[in-house]
């Protein structure tokens, strides 16, 4: 006997597996801030290093990957965007992919004070 998860109310009348509508990839990453840097780890098994692309654009890290298995006629893709609440030193971002886990380190940039100091009288 196969137990199926209870479908949500809007899918109850449909004859489709509820897994089809689940939040796929929702638990595939961990993001935390430590020692003035963000550390992002993503579980991405089945990809080769050269199949993964990372880009940084105006506070957003874009992670994309594509793997084609010609023997099985399958294609596996991954795409996720991460927005960061603090300014990141984009020149110091580093990444490593080992044993199916991508780890990206994003150092927080020093805050730059802009403008001029206003004298206070009193």
């Amino acid at each position: 006997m196969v137990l199926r998860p209870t479908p949500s109310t809007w899918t109850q009348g449909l004859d489709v597996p509820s897994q089809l509508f689940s939040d796929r990839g929702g638990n595939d990453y961990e993001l935390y801030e430590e020692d003035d840097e963000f550390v992002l780890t993503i579980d991405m098994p089945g990809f080769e290093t050269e199949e993964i692309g990372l880009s940084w654009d105006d506070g957003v890290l874009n992670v994309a990957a594509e793997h084609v298995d010609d023997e099985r006629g399958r294609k596996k893709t991954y795409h996720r965007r991460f927005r960061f609440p603090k300014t990141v030193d984009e020149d110091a971002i580093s990444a490593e992919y080992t044993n199916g886990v991508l780890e990206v380190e994003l150092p927080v940039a020093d805050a730059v004070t802009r403008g001029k100091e206003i004298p206070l009288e009193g």
Side-chain angles (χ1 to χ4, degrees):
M1 179 168 143
V2 175
L3 296 176
R4 292 186 176 180
T6 307
S8 67
T9 55
W10 73 273
T11 60
Q12 279 182 327
L14 302 175
D15 187 24
V16 293
S18 60
Q19 289 284 13
L20 182 65
F21 299 102
S22 68
D23 180 20
R24 297 176 62 177
N27 296 322
D28 63 347
Y29 72 92
E30 181 181 12
L31 176 63
Y32 57 92
E33 187 175 359
E34 172 181 89
D35 297 330
D36 295 327
E37 74 177 359
F38 290 104
V39 178
L40 172 67
T41 57
I42 306 172
D43 292 330
M44 298 179 66
F47 292 101
E48 299 294 326
T49 304
E50 59 274 0
E51 298 171 329
I52 300 171
L54 300 169
S55 63
W56 179 261
D57 183 33
D58 196 27
V60 177
L61 176 68
N62 186 50
V63 181
E66 182 176 299
H67 175 77
V68 177
D69 186 347
D70 291 327
E71 291 179 15
R72 294 183 177 171
R74 294 182 181 175
K75 181 177 172 180
K76 180 178 181 179
T77 61
Y78 181 93
H79 184 243
R80 193 175 279 270
R81 295 170 51 105
F82 299 90
R83 179 170 299 281
F84 291 84
K86 295 182 181 177
T87 304
V88 169
D89 182 358
E90 61 186 72
D91 294 329
I93 297 173
S94 64
E96 183 177 343
Y97 182 68
T98 308
N99 296 325
V101 178
L102 175 67
E103 181 172 297
V104 184
E105 295 179 354
L106 304 106
V108 176
D110 292 332
V112 177
T113 305
R114 296 182 184 206
K116 67 175 194 169
E117 190 172 319
I118 300 171
L120 180 62
E121 295 179 24

